[in-house]
Amino acid sequence: MRFALRHFSFRVWPVVALIALTLVAVVLMSDAVQNSQRFGSHYFWLLIFNAAVLLLLAILVVANVIEMIRRGLRRDPGARLTLRLAGVFVLLSFIPVFVVFAFSLRFLENGINSWFNVRIERALDDALVLARSSLQDRVNDLLRQTEEGAQSLSGIDPLRLPQKLGSLRRRLKASELTLFGRNQAILATSGGSLSMLVPSLPPPSALREYARAHHYAALEPSSGQHLLIRILVPVPPPADSVKVTGGSEMLQAIFGIDARNSALAANVQDAYNRYRELVFLRVPLMQSFTLTLSMVLLLSVLSALWASFVLARRVLRPVRQLIDAIRRVAEGDLGTKLDARRRDEVGLLARSFNEMTRRLAHAREETERARRQLERQRGHLQTVLEHLSPGVLTLDRNAVLRTANPSADAILEQPLKPFFGRRLADVGEHAGLLHQLYRAVEPRLDANEETWEIELELFGGTGVKMLICKGARLPESSGGGHVLLIDDVTALILAQRNAAWGEVARRLAHEIRNPLTPIQLSAERLRRKLLPQLAGEDGRILIRATDTIVAQVEAMQQLVTAFSDYARAPAMQPQEVDFNALVESVVELYRAQADITLQFQPDKQVGLMVVDPNRMRQLLNNLIKNAIEACAAQPQPRVEVATRVVVAENGEVGYVELSVSDNGPGISAEWFPRLFQPYVSHKLGGTGLGLAVVKKIVEEHNGRVFAENGNTEGARFVILLPRHGLAPERNEKQGES
Amino acid sequence: MNLEVKRQWRLLTLWLGLLFSLGAQAASAPDFVISSAHVFERHQVYYLDAKAKLRLDGNLASALQNGVGLVFVWDIRIMRPHGWWFDNTLASLSTRYRLRYQPLSQRYRVDDLNSGVSHSYWSLSQALQRIGRLQDFPLIDQSLLLPERPLFVDLRVRISAAALPLPLRIRSYLDASWRPASKWFRCDLR
Ligand SMILES: Nc1ncnc2c1ncn2[C@@H]1O[C@H](COP(=O)(O)OP(=O)(O)O)[C@@H](O)[C@H]1O
Ligand SMILES: [Mg+2]
């Protein structure tokens, strides 16, 4: 319904035709008011028709207004502009229409009033009175004459009556004379014209008047415009007659008034009547003129209203389309095109708009393509990064972690996603390796070098990790920051070390063991050959010397064997053992030495651990032996072995701490840096291999070892082992190397 | 501007007057009443005699005095009753009289518009009496009617609004007192 109404209200031509038709109707109406002959009979229908059209127009206008306001509220493109323009149109059309209406009313009133004039009215009244009195004079005159004539008829012989009546008629110049008897019977008549065979009878009203006043004289309308004068007078009875009974005879005289006078009188009466009618009709006439005028006004106003709506819509249609198009473009629909066929400025605007959207669309396509390409490249890079074995981390200029690849997660032993967007300086201990990494690289980041490379050793849930970290400054144009490349080289370094040990052993075997046997053999041969020839002191010297040589060579040989044993260490054989029991069994061996206090403090929580028990025993041997050697000179030598479970802050990566402490002299500060290096010994006859082996075994277990001096006395060696032992693949790798 | 306002007011009052006169058709005593009517047959022709009391109210009387001619119409319909449906109109006739005041002779003149005969009267009541009286008004030839059915005649007398001058006609559309009419009067044809 509403749709239909809108549809209809926006149709232009039917309404224009209707308005034109109504205009014609109004013209006819006004015509009818002035000339009731032609359209007078249709006036009512014209009125109805016009009223209907006005109603229809009013409905159209109201529908338009409602529609516009609705659009305005809905903020349709251009609705408010249209409303405003329509308002301007309405104002422009209303003012002249109302001015014209007001003036028309005024002119109408003045015009109608100008028809009436007191002087004209008076003149017409006077003319009527004059005509009436002149006619009355004539009537009176004729009455007198007729009365005289009636006297002459008094008492006349009935036989001479027609003749006498005829002569009297001619004398009186009457058109007709009739004599009535006492009972209204016609006694005689004399007519002027032959056509009138039957005398005209006096009307009852005349007879009544006659009965009352004994005479009757009046002007009577005859056929058409003609007037006649009827006079009734009694015929006096003859003077000699005495029998006066009832009434007397009655004479009727009829005088025609000549055509000219009749016409004049009729004209005066007509004019008078017309004028009176006009005066009487003044107010109704004003009303009907006002009605017509109001219809015209309403028609104009409503048409103007409607037209202004239509016009406003028409005029603003390109603007509305433009607004709509711009809105759609703003919403991203760059396919929007305007109709550019018009040849005016609007067409130019439309063409420019189309060109603009075309360019915009082109530009957007271009960016889209570039973006897709970038995306592809990024995806590519992402894949590369994901499959890259080194970990890659990017930090921005504030050392906020931006990205990290899966390898970085693996190396740093935790998913790094949760740390994205956080300043690494703010992440605490619980972030484990990430935190250690940051502490290690922080000075390099601060130094802000172009590229740098450091090796670092981190201790995490799976033990020691040796990393090579390369850093590069990101270009300032992309916001600065750093990219870190971390490589887990633990396995590599172990392998390198092992290879180095093998080399040492091989060279020892080659360079030292080989000459040893000939030295021994030569010394024995010297003794066998020379002993029989030497006696006494010389013989003893020889024996002592050759014994010393042989003994020293044997010692050397043992040393070399120890080296090659160390180098050719059997493969790791990790197995699950009760760690405390293992430690206890080693400590037990040393309890036999009575002059030393050896204590073991196990931590019940340690439980089962995956280690190589032989290597662990060797490690403990080396440490306990060193401790005993260190504190042997003390008056109350005391060695303490302890195990302890250390849980990291985040509760996840725990490790087991094994410590061996003594109350010896401690370790000089200058020894610390080279403590765990092979061949570093500060003891007479020391090989310097003890701690090197310890370190090697700890490394094979992915653990960490360090030494410290006690608070008051002695040294303390601490070994940290990953609590959950070795990862299987690490075991394998270790086994191979 | 003041003048303008005054004119607007006048327009408004004119309209209001029209509206009120439309609403104020008070139920007063009817001015036109048919008092008797009867049909008789003579020489195979039906004739109608009827009498109506006609009275002109102030508006119409002053219109008449002011030279406006009034046309009186007798509407006569010969009807056949049709039971439950509308009655059939077999024939309808009308006769018209024009009443005018003649200021020169100070008489009321009645023109029979059917025959063209005119009469004049001293008084309005005489003229109205003349108009309100139908005498020997020939209705219809008996031969034109089917014999068996009962028939009757409806008649009324009224003032023709269409014959009023146009400004009054607009009023008469809105105000029925300008076009008085009697009720329909029914009498048997036979
Ligand atoms: N418990 C200890 N207290 C003080 N010094 C120690 C202790 N353990 C080892 N050291 C020092 O570390 C050196 C290296 O020890 P090690 O590698 O076992 O070789 P060696 O025992 O053959 O000298 C020793 O010479 C000693 O000076
Ligand atoms: Mg040692």
Side-chain angles (χ1 to χ4, degrees), chain A residues 32-33 40 43-44 102 106 109 132 208 216 221 265 269 272-273 276-277 280-281 285 287-288 290-291, chain B residues 4 7 10-11 14-15 62-63 66 101-104 106-107 109 120 126 166-171 173:
Chain A
V33 172
Y43 186 87
F44 188 60
R106 204 174 140 191
E109 203 179 304
R132 205 185 277 156
R208 270 198 301 276
Y216 169 85
Q269 177 169 280
Y272 181 80
N273 253 356
R276 291 297 298 268
E277 189 181 5
F280 179 73
L281 292 180
L285 197 63
Q287 280 175 351
S288 53
T290 308
L291 183 69
Chain B
E4 240 51 2
R7 267 167 232 295
R10 184 165 301 172
L11 173 70
L14 281 181
W15 274 103
S62 70
N66 282 291
Y101 176 66
Q102 299 203 302
L104 192 62
Q106 289 170 309
R107 279 162 168 259
R109 178 169 157 167
S120 61
Q126 281 171 7
L166 189 82
L168 286 184
R169 211 181 310 153
I170 298 168
R171 283 197 167 186
Y173 291 132

Side-chain angles (χ1 to χ4, degrees), chain A residues 147 206-217 232 234:
Chain A
E147 275 174 339
L207 287 177
R208 270 198 301 276
E209 173 68 17
Y210 174 75
R212 193 179 60 79
H214 296 295
H215 69 266
Y216 169 85
L232 298 174

Side-chain angles (χ1 to χ4, degrees), chain A residues 622-623 626-631 662 664-667 671 675 677 680-683 685-692 715 717:
Chain A
N622 288 1
L623 286 180
N626 274 355
I628 289 172
E629 281 166 5
C631 65
D662 60 65
I667 303 153
W671 296 347
L675 203 58
Q677 286 188 5
V680 176
S681 171
H682 306 96
K683 294 175 203 163
T687 57
L689 276 173
L691 287 181
F717 283 81

Side-chain angles (χ1 to χ4, degrees), chain B residues 18 28-29 49 66 69 87 91 102 119 136 140 145 148 165 168 174:
Chain B
L18 279 176
S28 55
D49 278 357
N66 282 291
D87 296 337
Q102 299 203 302
H119 297 276
D136 295 349
I140 196 164
L145 298 174
E148 71 276 18
L168 286 184
L174 303 171

